[in-house]
Amino acid sequence: MGVEGSKEINDLQHRQENQIMSKRLIVMKFGGTSVGSAERFRQCAEIVAGAARHDRIVVVVSAVAGVTDLIFRTIDAARRGDSVATEANLKQFEFIHQQLLAELFDRKPGLPGSAYKAVQDFIADVFEQLRSSSRALLALHSDVSAQTHDLLAGLGERISACMLAHCIQRMGTTSEFVRAESMIVTDNNFGNAAPEMEATAAACKSILLPILERGAVPVVAGYSGATRDGQTTTLGRGGSDYSATIIGAASGADEVWIWTDVNGVLSADPRICPDATTLKEISFAEAIELAYYGAKVIHPKAAYPAMDAGVPVWIKNSFSPEAVGTKITQAAAPFASPVKAVTCVNHATLLTLVTGREVHSAELFGRLFLRMGQERIDTLFATQSSPEHALGLVLRREDGIRVLKLIQNIFRIELAQGVLNPVNVQDDIAVITVLGESMRGTPGIIGRVFSGVARENVSVIAVAQGASELSICFAVPSIHCADIVRSVHNEFCSQADFAVAACVQPGVPMASEVR
Ligand code: ADP
Ligand code: ASP
Ligand code: MG
């Protein structure tokens, strides 16, 4: 071929690349329920293949529903030396994925190059990693290090990403599996790592962009990342949402779409309030508050990278892709009701600390907050009563146990000398939160919230309103949680300008099961 000919080919290639790169870039994340079965995998692949006709798509995917819990149980059983439970869990892990493999890909054993063979080999490696690590833990009777835990915790995502990439490929759209560890650079806070955005942006540029330039869809395993020296980390439970917004922000995406099993962000958990309605738009600030106070639909930290980078996030239903979903954006459109949503954290603990009258309690409590900060423990809310020298800390149950240990540790002398009274622990409480930006400056909200509570004849244990007036939190006995959520939701959200009815998928447990 002459020089002219190769120049023409080069020009054509450049034009095609430019055309590809001028398309919108959308990061799509599919959650565990969206890939809960072979049929669901095909549905997700169809959504991606359809979208890839018009836009550049990067996919982030979770482990198959229940698989991460199963890995956690496997590690726990091995750590405890329970070989029967360990082996049973390993078997279940293999069974779930073998069954998907058989249902998704034509079984032509021994056929090199077939999708079946490629996925089979891939998952065999992952099985071996989980099996050998679990058996080593069993043999050593050792506790598991945070590093090893993270190395294993994200294995479900690795399999589902490989499977989904092959499913997309089968729809006629080129697709490539990408390891999470090569994309998201994090600190070394194993189990709850935070991204290093600059390094992640560089990784996105060097790994994702070339794949997109080739016109292919990269499929990234969610939930995991790696430290600069290559150690696998995880981003906290439910962290694949966070993976998606980190990658969205780092790659300069136009939008992030989080596909789940409900029509968007709803005015309440539909398992508690079947009449909850889909919110058309919420702000990043509202999403952060909502997630922090228990709405599982989005990871508590997932809104931050998108907010910082100004990338809108959509929550959409993979079971009904035609439904519009909820848009999470910088400034959401005005809303008719001051309260947009009611959320709950059903397993919380109230720790009450009371000091002697002669003590300056702020100094004592300050020491506790400092330690909690160092241990990265967050409160749900706190109340302080100066005349009573009392501090009330409302914490997630698992954090309550940790803080109690901290108190016994740092205040050993004060407790022995009676400077600090024995800590009062109230377990089995729920924190209910009502939130919405339009609550700010609107009088009468608290009155209406508590008339909803009073209708259930329940007494409130503690209450707090954030200075931003974005939310009001209060604690009640857990046993009344669902009833109070329904009553308060009814007070505000049934009369509001909520457009679309919630879509509860088959298999979503109803209120009585969530109590
Ligand atoms: P995924 O597997 O897609 O990550 P999750 O189970 O983590 O999905 O989150 C979706 C679930 O969040 C829904 O099935 C719903 O039960 C629950 N949820 C709780 N509160 C809300 C809310 N306010 N809006 C929507 N869903 C909610
Ligand atoms: N699979 C992980 C978990 O269950 C992450 C996720 O699903 O987002 O926590
Ligand atoms: Mg989730």
Side-chain angles (χ1 to χ4, degrees), residues 29-34 62 241 259-262 264-271 290 294-298 341-343 508:
K29 176 258 172 176
F30 294 92
T33 42
S34 295
S62 289
D241 298 333
W259 292 94
T260 184
D261 61 347
V262 285
V265 177
L266 307 177
S267 53
D269 187 338
R271 294 170 299 177
L290 211 110
K296 202 186 162 207
V297 68
I298 184 165
V342 183
T343 65
V508 174

Side-chain angles (χ1 to χ4, degrees), residues 234-287:
T234 60
L235 302 166
R237 293 306 306 269
S240 300
D241 298 333
Y242 199 18
S243 307
T245 55
I246 292 168
I247 292 173
S251 60
D254 294 283
E255 291 183 353
V256 174
W257 294 13
I258 294 182
W259 292 94
T260 184
D261 61 347
V262 285
N263 272 354
V265 177
L266 307 177
S267 53
D269 187 338
R271 294 170 299 177
I272 298 177
C273 295
D275 62 339
T277 46
T278 309
L279 305 169
K280 280 187 196 159
E281 236 178 67
I282 62 170
S283 67
F284 285 120
E286 288 170 330

Side-chain angles (χ1 to χ4, degrees), residues 50 154 162 194 215 321 333 445 472 501:
C162 169
I445 307 284
I472 299 164

Side-chain angles (χ1 to χ4, degrees), residues 9-346:
I9 292 174
N10 272 343
D11 287 351
L12 182 68
Q13 238 169 14
H14 268 118
R15 269 205 305 279
Q16 280 171 344
E17 276 170 17
N18 283 343
Q19 253 171 18
I20 291 172
M21 297 314 280
S22 64
K23 289 177 173 178
R24 283 196 310 175
L25 175 59
I26 298 175
V27 176
M28 290 193 170
K29 176 258 172 176
F30 294 92
T33 42
S34 295
V35 290
S37 66
E39 193 199 327
R40 304 296 317 141
F41 263 95
R42 280 193 210 99
Q43 166 82 351
C44 296
E46 231 166 73
I47 291 174
V48 174
R53 285 190 208 110
H54 321 283
D55 296 310
R56 290 177 297 154
I57 307 295
V58 174
V59 173
V60 174
V61 65
S62 289
V64 171
V67 159
T68 312
D69 285 339
L70 182 60
I71 297 175
F72 273 59
R73 286 201 303 277
T74 311
I75 301 170
D76 194 48
R79 190 180 57 81
R80 284 185 284 107
D82 184 342
S83 60
V84 176
T86 307
E87 294 300 329
N89 289 336
L90 287 170
K91 224 177 182 168
Q92 200 187 342
F93 182 83
E94 296 191 12
F95 175 76
I96 291 169
H97 295 107
Q98 291 286 11
Q99 199 174 24
L100 281 170
L101 171 72
E103 288 175 20
L104 280 171
F105 306 103
D106 299 333
R107 187 192 221 118
K108 294 198 180 103
L111 208 66
S114 71
Y116 184 92
K117 180 82 176 78
V119 179
Q120 187 183 37
D121 290 348
F122 187 95
I123 64 178
D125 277 352
V126 177
F127 291 165
E128 183 46 35
Q129 190 174 346
L130 185 60
R131 201 182 304 125
S132 57
S133 302
S134 305
R135 289 182 182 159
L137 286 173
L138 267 176
L140 293 168
H141 288 287
S142 74
D143 208 345
V144 60
S145 69
Q147 284 93 326
T148 305
H149 203 285
D150 271 5
L151 200 58
L152 303 176
L155 290 180
E157 272 73 9
R158 201 176 294 171
I159 296 184
S160 50
C162 169
M163 281 190 173
L164 187 54
H166 278 91
C167 290
I168 296 167
Q169 186 86 27
R170 297 197 93 203
M171 302 266 163
T173 302
T174 322
S175 181
E176 293 179 29
F177 160 74
V178 179
R179 278 175 69 105
E181 288 87 340
S182 59
M183 288 291 321
I184 297 183
V185 183
T186 71
D187 63 13
N188 64 357
N189 186 20
F190 294 95
N192 202 10
E196 294 188 359
M197 291 306 288
E198 254 179 55
T200 304
C204 283
K205 206 167 166 197
S206 66
I207 294 167
L208 287 187
L209 293 189
I211 300 176
L212 292 166
E213 270 168 27
R214 290 198 287 277
V217 173
V219 181
V220 188
Y223 185 38
S224 292
T227 58
R228 279 175 188 270
D229 57 355
Q231 297 196 69
T232 301
T233 52
T234 60
L235 302 166
R237 293 306 306 269
S240 300
D241 298 333
Y242 199 18
S243 307
T245 55
I246 292 168
I247 292 173
S251 60
D254 294 283
E255 291 183 353
V256 174
W257 294 13
I258 294 182
W259 292 94
T260 184
D261 61 347
V262 285
N263 272 354
V265 177
L266 307 177
S267 53
D269 187 338
R271 294 170 299 177
I272 298 177
C273 295
D275 62 339
T277 46
T278 309
L279 305 169
K280 280 187 196 159
E281 236 178 67
I282 62 170
S283 67
F284 285 120
E286 288 170 330
I288 290 164
E289 204 87 354
L290 211 110
Y292 189 81
Y293 287 114
K296 202 186 162 207
V297 68
I298 184 165
H299 183 274
K301 292 189 211 147
Y304 289 110
M307 180 168 74
D308 293 345
V311 182
V313 178
W314 285 86
I315 310 286
K316 291 172 81 72
N317 191 347
S318 69
F319 291 75
S320 333
E322 65 293 343
V324 184
T326 300
K327 186 178 187 184
I328 308 176
T329 173
Q330 207 67 47
F335 200 64
S337 165
V339 170
K340 271 193 182 166
V342 183
T343 65
C344 64
V345 174
N346 204 359

